[in-house]
Amino acid sequence: MKKKWFVSLFILLCFYTSSVFAQNNSTPIIYRLTGQLFSLPTSGEISIIDPLTQNEINQISLSRTPGEVLQISQDEKKAFVVPLFDNGLIVVDLFSGSIKTILSSLLIYGAKQSPDGTLWVLASIPDNQIILVDPKTLITLNVLTNITKPRDIVFSPDGKKAFISLENNNILIFDTKTRSLLSTISNLPLGITGFTRYMELAISSDGKMLCFGTKNNLFFIDTSSLQTVDLVTFNNKSTTSRVLVLFNNNNDAVYVCEKNGLNLYKYTLKDKTFSTIFISKRFALQDMKLSPDGRLLYISDFGGKSIIDTLTDAVIFSVTDLPQTNSKASEGLALAGDFSIGQAPSLQTTAPAASQQIAANQAFSIKWQTMVMPQSYSIASHKIELSTDGGITFNVIPGAEQLKPEAQDFTWQVPDIETTKAQIRVSTVDLGARRASSTTMNFTISRNGGGGGGDTQAPTVSFLSPKGGETFNSGDSLQISWSSSDNVGVTSQDLSLSTDGGSTFPITLANGLSGSAQQFTYQIPMSLQSNQTRLKLVVRDGAGNMAQATTPSNFSIMLGADNIPPTVTISQPTQSQSIIAGQAIQVKWQSTDNRAVVSQALLLSFDNGKTFSQIASFGATDSSFTLSNIDRLSFTTPQAIVKITAVDSTGNKGEANATFTISPAITNANYQTKVLTITGIGFMSNVNNNIKLIVNDKEVTLTPSNVSNSSFIIKGNKKKLNVVKGSNTIRLVVDGIMSNSIQFTF
C-alpha cells in the first residue's frame, strides 16, 4: 500500500514539474516579465500565468532586471530575455528553471525567432550586427554585418524574408535562407537615438502589408511594390514618444499602443478610422500580445494587466496585481500554446419567474446559475439588464454593470414604474471572451399590486465638463463628462458639437453610446478652430422618452502650435531603380500634412547628395513631374538622387529622397580594319570618367583613341581586343555601372 502511494505521489510531482515549467504545445500559457526597475540590487523574474484563471502558477528568478523583450522558443522549452541596460542575452530553461547568458560581450536590443526556428538577435554594441543563433544548441550560425543600429525585425509568414528597421530611417529586406540583402525601403522618418523599439514593425498574417510605427506616424507599405499605400498621423501622448503596432488576425485593423503612455488605439484600414479603445487608469502601458486565435488582446502595464475582446473591443478583465514601486513592476509579455481550448460558459436565470408580479420601489433578489466546463476559461464578470417593452430594448441596471465572477444573485431596487412586459437578462463573459446570457419571460412590475401602465418619465442629463469658458488647443484630447440617469434606465446617448454657439450641431462625435457611458474622449482635429464651441447630448430611455443638454456657455478651441512637418513619400522612381541615360524620368510623390501643405520643390543631385540643384517648384497639390531636357541626365551616374521638399503654413519642412542609377546604353557596334566603334549614350559619367570595355567576358586593356558621351573608338587587332570570328558580345562599364550587352559579327 505504501509503495503504491509513493509511486502515485512521484508521478504527480513529475506531472506538476513538467506542467509548470515546460508546457506542451496545446496548453495555453502567458509569460510575463517583472522586475525591480528602480532599486539596487536589481532582480527580476518570468511570471508564468494560467490564462484560464489569470492566476500565477510559477516564477523563474532571473537575478537581473529584465528589459521589455521576451521570446519563447517554438518548442516552448526556452525563453530568451533581453536584460535592462546590461550586456548579453539571458537564456532560461523553462523545464528546470536554470539560466545562462550568451553573447555576453554585446548590448542586445531584441531577439525574435524566424518561422524556421532560427533566433535573430539585434545587437546594439557593436551597433552593426545581427547574430543568428540556433535556439537548441545556442551556437552562432551566422553574423550579418553593416546593419547600422537595428531596432526591430519581423518575418514574412512563409519565412522567406526578414524585414529589419534601422534607426537611420531605412528598412532592410533579407533573404532568410541565403542571408543576402534583397532590397531597401528608404526615406522613412528617423528614429530617436538609443530608443530600442522606436522603429516598430508589424506584418499582416497574409504577408501583403507591412506596418511601420514611429512617434506620431503609421506607414503602411505594400510588400510587393515596397510602396507606401497609407499614412496615419496621430497624437502620441506617451512620455517617451514610443509606439507598438500589431495587426489583428483579419488584417483589417492595426492595434497601436503608446509605449509608456496610457492609450491603446485601433486603426481600421478599410474606412481609415483611428479610435481609442482602451485608456489605462493605473500605470503606463508596456506591451501587448494577440492570442493565436485572434480573440484576445493581452495588455501589460507597469502595475497590472488587462484583456480586450477583439470582436467587440470591450475590456473583459483588468486588474492591478503589481505595485509600481521600487519593489516590482511589469514589462514584456509572451504567449504560447492553444488559446482556443475549452467551451463557452452556460447560464440560466432562475428569478424572477414568468408572469411573477413584483412590487415597485422594493428590493428584489435576481438569481441565476452559471456553469463553467472543465479545462475552460473562468468567468470574468456578469451583467444584468432590464427591459420594460417585452425584450425589444434592454438597459443595464445601475450597480450591475460588472458584477464579480462568482456572483449568482443581485439585490435589485425595483424602480418606481408599472409594466406587464418586464424582462431581466443576465449575461456573462469569461476570460476567453466567450459569452452566455439568459433572459426571463415577461413579468409584472406594479405599484400597490395595481396593473401596469408604462414608463412616461424622461431621463435627466447635465454636462460636468466642459461647462464653458475653457480654452483648448486643436490636437488636444478633449475629456467630456456628464451625468445622465433615468427612472428605468438610459438606453442610448448621442453626442455632437457646435462651432456657432449652439445654433447648429453639425459635427457628430458619437451616436448610440451605451446608457452607462458617462464620459467620452474627443481628439480635436488640428484644423478645428472656434471661440463659440458647445456640446449637445441627447439621451433616450427604453420607452422612447428623450432629454437633451448643451454646455451652459461657449468654450474656445484655438489653433495649437504646429511643429509637425509634412510627410513626403516618393513612389517613382523606386529606390535603386536603374534608368537608361538620356531617358525622361517620371517622378511621382505624395505630400501630406496635419494641416496643409503650401509649397513643394523638386531637387536633383548627381553626386550622391553632396550637392542639389532645384529643378522645379510647385503648389500644394502637385504630385508628378517629368525630368527631361537636362544635360546631366544623359551621363552615367552611380547614385543620383531626386528630392521632394514640402513646406506647411508655419514653415515646417518635410522631405523625401529616392536614389536611382543612370546607366550607359549601347545601340550599335562594328569592327572593321582593326577599329572597334561603339555608339550609344552615357559613355561619360557625372562623377568619374572611368570606362572599361568587356569583349566576350574579358576586359580589354588597350586605351581607346576617342571617347565621347555617344561614341567609343578603340584600335587593335582581334587578339588584343578579344574578338573572334563569328558572333561577339561587348559591354561597357562606366564609373562602375555596366551597360547592356550587344552582339556584332566579325
Side-chain angles (χ1 to χ4, degrees):
M1 183 68 179
K2 289 183 178 179
K3 184 177 181 180
K4 290 183 178 179
W5 177 86
F6 177 79
V7 171
S8 299
L9 178 61
F10 177 79
I11 293 172
L12 180 62
L13 288 174
C14 290
F15 173 76
Y16 175 79
T17 302
S18 63
S19 65
V20 167
F21 289 100
Q23 306 298 322
N24 61 58
N25 290 333
S26 64
T27 304
I29 287 292
I30 300 172
Y31 299 92
R32 183 184 184 199
L33 293 176
T34 62
Q36 293 179 322
L37 300 183
F38 312 109
S39 65
L40 293 174
T42 60
S43 67
E45 56 272 331
I46 298 178
S47 174
I48 302 177
I49 299 168
D50 180 1
L52 300 183
T53 63
Q54 283 300 309
N55 294 330
E56 184 180 69
I57 56 179
N58 196 55
Q59 281 189 4
I60 301 178
S61 176
L62 300 176
S63 73
R64 285 195 286 171
T65 298
E68 60 198 28
V69 180
L70 171 63
Q71 178 76 32
I72 305 299
S73 64
Q74 290 178 351
D75 60 9
E76 301 177 27
K77 294 180 179 180
K78 290 187 180 73
F80 300 93
V81 180
V82 176
L84 186 67
F85 306 127
D86 199 359
N87 282 5
L89 182 67
I90 303 171
V91 183
V92 181
D93 188 314
L94 294 174
F95 184 84
S96 65
S98 64
I99 63 172
K100 64 173 65 176
T101 300
I102 62 173
L103 308 176
S104 56
S105 64
L106 304 178
L107 184 63
I108 305 300
Y109 267 6
K112 286 187 181 178
Q113 270 192 294
S114 64
D116 69 1
T118 304
L119 189 69
W120 293 54
V121 181
L122 313 183
S124 167
I125 300 176
D127 63 1
N128 61 346
Q129 291 186 3
I130 293 183
I131 300 94
L132 278 64
V133 176
D134 185 328
K136 295 181 179 179
T137 64
L138 304 182
I139 294 174
T140 297
L141 303 174
N142 205 340
V143 178
L144 306 182
T145 58
N146 299 320
I147 302 175
T148 305
K149 297 182 179 178
R151 287 298 176 263
D152 196 15
I153 181 171
V154 294
F155 301 95
S156 60
D158 60 11
K160 294 182 179 180
K161 295 179 181 179
F163 299 82
I164 303 166
S165 64
L166 308 182
E167 189 177 282
N168 70 351
N169 84 341
N170 290 338
I171 296 176
L172 305 181
I173 306 175
F174 274 83
D175 185 310
T176 57
K177 184 177 181 180
T178 64
R179 322 297 196 213
S180 59
L181 181 64
L182 298 175
S183 53
T184 302
I185 305 172
S186 305
N187 304 317
L188 297 165
L190 288 169
I192 294 178
T193 302
F195 274 68
T196 59
R197 293 184 69 175
Y198 186 74
M199 319 298 285
E200 183 79 1
L201 295 174
I203 193 166
S204 59
S205 61
D206 57 12
K208 296 181 179 180
M209 191 75 68
L210 185 71
C211 179
F212 174 71
T214 67
K215 176 183 176 181
N216 290 316
N217 294 301
L218 302 178
F219 291 82
F220 291 89
I221 300 169
D222 184 290
T223 56
S224 296
S225 65
L226 303 184
Q227 300 301 307
T228 299
V229 296
D230 196 5
L231 169 62
V232 181
T233 300
F234 67 102
N235 184 17
N236 189 337
K237 306 178 190 66
S238 78
T239 56
T240 55
S241 300
R242 297 161 69 188
V243 64
L244 311 177
V245 291
L246 187 65
F247 277 93
N248 68 355
N249 274 23
N250 295 328
N251 301 319
D252 58 6
V254 170
Y255 297 104
V256 184
C257 177
E258 292 179 346
K259 170 72 173 176
N260 289 320
L262 301 178
N263 297 289
L264 175 70
Y265 308 101
K266 182 179 180 180
Y267 178 67
T268 304
L269 279 71
K270 184 177 180 180
D271 55 15
K272 300 185 183 301
T273 57
F274 193 86
S275 57
T276 304
I277 63 172
F278 177 69
I279 301 176
S280 175
K281 296 179 173 61
R282 301 179 301 253
F283 308 121
L285 303 176
Q286 296 303 303
D287 201 2
M288 63 175 175
K289 290 292 186 297
L290 193 67
S291 64
D293 60 0
R295 280 297 308 274
L296 307 169
L297 185 65
Y298 289 94
I299 309 295
S300 176
D301 61 49
F302 256 148
K305 53 191 178 183
S306 304
I307 306 173
I308 293 176
D309 178 355
T310 60
L311 294 182
T312 62
D313 292 333
V315 179
I316 60 174
F317 176 81
S318 191
V319 66
T320 299
D321 59 352
L322 293 175
Q324 192 198 26
T325 66
N326 288 348
S327 61
K328 190 178 289 187
S330 176
E331 275 279 354
L333 287 173
L335 310 180
D338 182 8
F339 280 69
S340 64
I341 68 170
Q343 302 178 44
S346 60
L347 188 148
Q348 181 63 50
T349 305
T350 57
S355 303
Q356 183 174 352
Q357 183 166 303
I358 298 175
N361 290 314
Q362 300 294 318
F364 179 84
S365 181
I366 301 172
K367 299 180 183 295
W368 65 92
Q369 292 180 345
T370 306
M371 295 288 293
V372 176
M373 300 300 292
Q375 295 299 308
S376 297
Y377 288 90
S378 300
I379 297 300
S381 64
H382 292 88
K383 179 176 68 175
I384 308 177
E385 300 166 282
L386 170 67
S387 172
T388 58
D389 53 13
I392 298 175
T393 60
F394 282 89
N395 186 67
V396 178
I397 293 176
E401 297 91 346
Q402 196 168 23
L403 299 176
K404 293 181 178 181
E406 64 272 15
Q408 297 290 276
D409 62 76
F410 175 76
T411 301
W412 172 40
Q413 187 65 34
V414 183
D416 184 18
I417 61 173
E418 289 191 328
T419 178
T420 59
K421 295 182 179 180
Q423 290 185 5
I424 290 291
R425 180 168 66 194
V426 182
S427 57
T428 187
V429 60
D430 66 17
L431 294 172
R434 292 163 175 160
R435 301 173 186 273
S437 64
S438 175
T439 305
T440 68
M441 301 295 287
N442 286 350
F443 61 92
T444 298
I445 301 175
S446 61
R447 300 184 182 99
N448 301 319
D455 180 15
T456 60
Q457 184 174 332
T460 60
V461 57
S462 62
F463 277 100
L464 302 178
S465 176
K467 286 194 170 183
E470 301 92 343
T471 298
F472 304 95
N473 290 324
S474 57
D476 285 351
S477 292
L478 177 59
Q479 305 297 323
I480 306 167
S481 62
W482 62 87
S483 174
S484 60
S485 61
D486 186 67
N487 62 313
V488 176
V490 175
T491 57
S492 68
Q493 306 179 94
D494 301 335
L495 185 62
S496 56
L497 182 140
S498 169
T499 57
D500 57 11
S503 297
T504 61
F505 288 85
I507 303 175
T508 299
L509 305 192
N511 276 336
L513 290 171
S514 68
S516 60
Q518 299 289 280
Q519 61 183 10
F520 184 81
T521 300
Y522 174 53
Q523 192 72 35
I524 303 175
M526 292 296 294
S527 58
L528 183 59
Q529 180 183 18
S530 174
N531 59 4
Q532 299 185 66
T533 317
R534 294 199 184 200
L535 296 165
K536 179 173 72 173
L537 185 69
V538 178
V539 179
R540 298 176 179 83
D541 65 15
N545 302 307
M546 184 185 74
Q548 69 179 39
T550 59
T551 45
S553 58
N554 296 335
F555 59 91
S556 299
I557 297 176
M558 309 296 292
L559 282 178
D562 180 15
N563 55 11
I564 301 176
T567 298
V568 182
T569 56
I570 299 176
S571 56
Q572 281 188 244
T574 58
Q575 286 298 326
S576 303
Q577 181 177 346
S578 181
I579 296 171
I580 302 300
Q583 284 189 350
I585 301 173
Q586 185 71 27
V587 182
K588 294 184 179 181
W589 71 92
Q590 183 179 21
S591 298
T592 58
D593 189 64
N594 58 314
R595 289 187 179 163
V597 172
V598 296
S599 65
Q600 302 177 95
L602 185 151
L603 298 89
L604 200 57
S605 171
F606 293 97
D607 54 11
N608 196 23
K610 294 179 182 178
T611 60
F612 280 90
S613 299
Q614 182 168 320
I615 304 301
S617 59
F618 311 100
T621 59
D622 292 272
S623 60
S624 66
F625 184 78
T626 301
L627 292 171
S628 61
N629 299 321
I630 299 174
D631 290 340
R632 297 182 71 180
L633 289 176
S634 64
F635 290 79
T636 291
T637 310
Q639 282 193 309
I641 300 175
V642 62
K643 176 186 289 187
I644 300 294
T645 63
V647 180
D648 65 17
S649 57
T650 56
N652 297 309
K653 182 180 179 181
E655 62 182 43
N657 294 341
T659 302
F660 60 95
T661 299
I662 301 178
S663 304
I666 301 174
T667 56
N668 191 40
N670 191 323
Y671 182 60
Q672 288 183 347
T673 61
K674 297 183 180 182
V675 177
L676 177 61
T677 303
I678 304 171
T679 57
I681 192 168
F683 297 168
M684 300 183 71
S685 170
N686 277 309
V687 184
N688 299 306
N689 284 318
N690 296 324
I691 188 166
K692 296 179 182 179
L693 171 64
I694 310 294
V695 179
N696 296 324
D697 295 326
K698 292 183 180 180
E699 182 179 349
V700 175
T701 59
L702 296 177
T703 302
S705 59
N706 182 273
V707 177
S708 70
N709 196 47
S710 58
S711 70
F712 179 97
I713 300 174
I714 189 168
K715 297 179 180 180
N717 59 37
K718 64 179 182 178
K719 182 177 181 180
K720 291 183 178 180
L721 292 177
N722 300 324
V723 174
V724 298
K725 288 186 177 182
S727 179
N728 294 266
T729 302
I730 64 168
R731 291 174 292 169
L732 288 176
V733 181
V734 182
D735 208 4
I737 306 300
M738 187 171 294
S739 73
N740 60 311
S741 297
I742 195 169
Q743 291 184 336
F744 68 94
T745 302
F746 172 65

